[in-house]
Amino acid sequence: MDKKVTFDFYKVEMPYGYSFETAIDELSKVTELKNRVVEINGDPLRWEEIDTSLRFITGDLVKLRMYLLPSKGGLHSKVEDIGLEADEGIAEETVFFYDKNTKTLVYQRNRYGVSASRFQDYLLHFYKPKGGTIDFLPLLRKSGLERLDKMDEIRKFSYRLARPTDNKYNRISDGSTEESIELLDDLSAMAVNIELSMGHYKGSMAIDKVKERAKKLFRRESTKAN
């Protein structure tokens, strides 16, 4: 039976002088299982495997589900408690893949596993950048643009812009995007979140203009990645 696995793509942003590689190195120094466990939102999380030996970093995270445990049953036996010890739970696994050159994180989407936001919190437990945090900024994929083209109603649109730190970066001539980046420069901020919606009013936003905006942001991100 085929099993569908979904992955999300993120650009990892960290304050100047800090890196995702160093954060993972800090994790890898914690070798005892009990010391790897961090409880976040009531769930024990830990890293299971990490490999940093190549250009890519690969890892396996696990969430221990300690509640709402399933029962077990056999063809010739009744349904009964699964029989775990008090300190045991169901291991929900999540894998990730990080490209050191492009600073791109490929992260498995698993509704029962460790979400990307919880992975951020987990990293911050062991590695705390001064004057900033660890951000996973979603990358818009071409397939996402194709789905956007098919939409006939858009009630909410949000995106995040990070202030460019590369002197070689060429800004795209795009009024509102350029204005947002200038605002970040003026206020010495690193990122801005922009959310536009219809709120409680009926109807849709200007679909063509939202699609145009998304495509411009996609081209901007593609330019940064090259």
Side-chain angles (χ1 to χ4, degrees), residues 158-176:
S158 62
Y159 59 94
R160 176 186 175 95
L161 289 175
R163 180 159 62 94
T165 56
D166 188 348
N167 292 330
K168 297 180 181 179
Y169 174 69
N170 293 319
R171 297 181 179 180
I172 289 178
S173 179
D174 174 9
S176 58

Side-chain angles (χ1 to χ4, degrees), residues 197-208:
S197 76
M198 293 298 297
H200 298 295
Y201 293 91
K202 295 181 179 180
S204 172
M205 298 171 62
I207 297 176
D208 290 340

